[in-house]
Amino acid sequence: MSEALRESGATGEVVILTESAPTAATAAAQLGCEVGAIANSLIFDADGEPLLVLTSGAHRVDTGLIARLVGVSKVRRATPEFVKAATGQTIGGVAPVGHPAPVRTLVDTWLSKHSVVWAAAGHSHTVFPTTFDELVRITGGTPAEVE
C-alpha cells in the first residue's frame, strides 16, 4: 500500500499500529488524537456502484443525503464481498487509494478542521497521516457535508 500511496501523491508514511483499529475510536486512542481526525473509509452500494465516503470519525453518514448528493435512488452499506471487489481490501482497513479501478469518492468537509487527518492504509493495523486537501487531491474526491 505504501507504493500506491506514493503513486497517488500522498506524502505521509504508513504507520503500523500495535493493535487492530477497525473503528475510529480505537484508531484515535492508539494515535492520541481526536476521533474527528480519523478519516473513516466507508464503502457504500449506490445503486449497484461503489461509493467511497471518507468521513470524520465523529460523524455518521446520512445515506439519504448522500443519495441526493450523488444522484442515485438508494445508498446502502456495502457487504464485505462488495467492499473487497470494489477496493481489493477488507472492511476495517480500506485505504482511500490503491483500488483495482477508481471509486467515486466524497470527502467529509469536517475533516478540514484538523491539520492532520489519519486514514487507513489498506489493513486494520495500518494508517497514514494526511490532510483534507491531500485526500481530495489523491482520490479525485468531492468535498461534501455527509451528516
Side-chain angles (χ1 to χ4, degrees):
M1 183 52 57
S2 293
E3 185 175 324
L5 288 166
R6 275 192 304 281
E7 288 175 2
S8 73
T11 58
E13 293 295 319
V14 173
V15 173
I16 300 172
L17 301 173
T18 55
E19 297 176 31
S20 177
T23 68
T26 57
Q30 289 186 66
L31 293 164
C33 68
E34 294 179 31
V35 171
I38 302 298
N40 281 336
S41 297
L42 304 176
I43 295 287
F44 291 91
D45 178 335
D47 285 349
E49 294 297 321
L51 173 67
L52 172 60
V53 179
L54 296 170
T55 185
S56 167
H59 287 166
R60 295 189 63 84
V61 173
D62 179 336
T63 55
L65 172 65
I66 296 303
R68 289 188 298 280
L69 282 174
V70 299
V72 298
S73 62
K74 187 171 185 175
V75 170
R76 61 181 179 271
R77 275 313 259 283
T79 65
E81 297 79 17
F82 188 92
V83 172
K84 181 76 170 176
T87 67
Q89 302 159 25
T90 57
I91 293 174
V94 173
V97 297
H99 312 140
V103 176
R104 185 175 189 180
T105 304
L106 298 178
V107 184
D108 187 353
T109 55
W110 185 267
L111 292 169
S112 68
K113 298 178 185 292
H114 301 278
S115 59
V116 176
V117 175
W118 292 89
H123 187 278
S124 64
H125 283 268
T126 59
V127 293
F128 71 101
T130 186
T131 65
F132 169 79
D133 290 336
E134 185 175 80
L135 282 174
V136 171
R137 182 177 49 79
I138 67 175
T139 62
T142 302
E145 291 186 22
V146 300
E147 183 182 51

